[in-house]
Amino acid sequence: MRIGVLTGGGDCPGLNPAIRGVVYRAIDYNDEVIGIRAGWKGLLEKDTVPLRLEDVEEIISMGGTILHTSRTNPLKKEEDTEKCIKNFKELGLDALIAIGGDDTLSVANALYKRGLPTVGVPKTMDNDLSGTDVTFGFDTAVTVAMDALARLKDTARSHFRVMVFEVMGRHAGWVALYTAVGGGADYVLIPEIPLDMDALTEHIKKVRARGKPYAVIVASEGVELPVEEEEEVRVDAFGHKILRERQVASWLADQIEKRTGFETRWVQIGHIQRGGPPTLYDRIIATRVGIKAVDMVHNGEFGKMAAIKGQDVVSVSLDEAVGKLKTVPPELFEEFKTLFK
Ligand code: F6P
């Protein structure tokens, strides 16, 4: 078979191991793999590159994606959607493996419904995709943030400061919660739980009153603030607000300093979280979903996504994956609350 593969949406560590898994498995079937560059943009422009063993052999430890990526949305214009279908045929492809999060997989699902044989591979550092227990990219992103948090603690401790650390994660609090728990923060703010400034203030005062010379607060970029937001933030091609432009950490730091009297600084980790070599865990799960996607192509399991369920890699429908965001369940938040004293 001649299989196309693309990576779309925000990059994350694990994309290269996933591409590698696809190519290695395809070799077992004597398939040819064609890389489509820069996500759906590459399909619109027929921008492709052959992917052979020698092209992917050395990429297991590389962050980013050798295929590049974009947030191009071919569903915005009917002519673009049609062009994708036409180009798929003109490229002589038998199947298309789309590696991405909610946005990229929504396109894969829509194209499947228009007759294209697509298979999805889940990725996102946000870990907010349904239908799979976990997505690659998340473990690495949180590990990077946890390391940054340890550094922030050192400087906060030296200066008797409060530090507000803003992490990515969009409208799900997975990244913030795991960073805070794994890094031993004093408080965490996630989009799923409404912000209570009085409770936050009291908590910081309590932490300092028991003699701790500093406090670190992890805040998700998606936290809703109890104020009218002044400026319109920009949106991407899928209509998502560019959340880091809201700078929630800046607002929070200002409020904390005013309310507690403690000197407060704020930091956004931003895209640093998305780079660097994938962790072992991300390499393994990315490789496994890549392998599974090729098996799914050969089993004719189109309109589906390779997913991690427990220790297994299974296939689930793309409808299940893209229907609804997977957010932090209240019970998990309650369980972890015991760690913020
Ligand atoms: O979805 C992954 C993610 O890193 C989000 O956490 C973040 O809000 C967004 O992408 C940033 O997107 P961009 O790289 O387009 O600025």
Side-chain angles (χ1 to χ4, degrees), residues 19-305:
I19 295 165
R20 187 172 178 269
V22 167
V23 174
Y24 270 65
R25 189 60 170 155
I27 291 168
D28 294 338
Y29 289 103
N30 280 321
D31 290 338
E32 187 186 357
V33 182
I34 305 297
I36 297 166
R37 286 159 47 91
W40 299 113
K41 181 169 180 281
L43 189 56
L44 285 170
E45 295 171 2
K46 287 206 271 187
D47 182 5
T48 66
V49 56
L51 289 178
R52 300 149 302 190
L53 179 66
E54 58 270 35
D55 301 310
V56 298
E57 204 169 5
E58 307 280 352
I59 66 173
I60 188 85
S61 58
M62 277 172 62
T65 163
I66 58 162
L67 287 178
H68 302 277
T69 185
S70 71
R71 292 198 186 276
T72 300
N73 180 2
L75 301 182
K76 271 177 110 176
K77 287 195 220 142
E78 173 58 22
E79 64 197 79
D80 284 351
T81 314
E82 280 165 18
K83 201 166 180 193
C84 281
I85 297 167
K86 184 168 145 277
N87 289 351
F88 173 90
K89 290 180 187 145
E90 285 180 10
L91 289 167
L93 298 174
D94 298 303
L96 177 63
I97 296 175
I99 309 177
D102 196 55
D103 296 335
T104 305
L105 298 181
S106 297
V107 177
N109 199 24
L111 292 176
Y112 165 70
K113 291 183 174 156
R114 304 266 305 247
L116 281 201
T118 59
V119 165
V121 168
K123 71 88 217 183
T124 166
M125 61 152 282
D126 302 335
N127 195 37
D128 61 356
L129 196 68
S130 296
T132 183
D133 289 355
V134 66
T135 48
F136 66 76
F138 173 66
D139 188 64
T140 310
V142 174
T143 302
V144 171
M146 203 175 68
D147 178 61
L149 186 69
R151 292 163 196 270
L152 290 175
K153 278 184 172 184
D154 287 346
T155 170
R157 194 184 301 112
S158 304
H159 288 262
F160 303 97
R161 280 175 177 157
V162 176
M163 189 69 78
V164 184
F165 182 35
E166 179 183 320
V167 296
M168 285 183 167
R170 233 170 222 166
H171 302 291
W174 295 105
V175 177
L177 184 61
Y178 278 46
T179 300
V181 171
D186 295 292
Y187 208 79
V188 65
L189 302 168
I190 62 172
E192 291 86 341
I193 308 288
L195 171 63
D196 179 344
M197 268 318 289
D198 293 336
L200 172 59
T201 307
E202 285 317 303
H203 191 84
I204 293 169
K205 285 184 180 162
K206 191 176 85 180
V207 167
R208 297 293 292 257
R210 68 174 158 80
K212 191 170 179 176
Y214 70 99
V216 286
I217 318 301
V218 178
S220 169
E221 63 176 359
V223 166
E224 285 302 325
L225 300 178
V227 281
E228 277 288 306
E229 290 186 34
E230 290 159 20
E231 284 172 35
E232 268 301 301
V233 283
R234 290 179 296 154
V235 293
D236 67 20
F238 285 85
H240 302 297
K241 278 187 184 168
I242 300 174
L243 292 173
R244 65 189 304 275
E245 293 186 357
R246 298 167 62 231
Q247 299 190 334
V248 294
S250 159
W251 186 87
L252 287 163
D254 190 47
Q255 288 292 313
I256 290 168
E257 193 165 284
K258 280 189 189 127
R259 285 165 170 250
T260 65
F262 297 126
E263 192 178 27
T264 306
R265 295 284 189 267
W266 64 278
V267 174
Q268 269 184 330
I269 189 168
H271 292 83
I272 293 170
Q273 261 195 290
R274 295 222 307 240
T279 56
L280 167 68
Y281 181 69
D282 278 343
R283 292 181 200 195
I284 298 298
I285 62 168
T287 301
R288 290 187 75 194
V289 286
I291 290 172
K292 176 75 176 177
V294 178
D295 288 340
M296 287 166 64
V297 166
H298 280 271
N299 294 335
E301 294 184 82
F302 299 115
K304 294 193 167 193
M305 174 183 90

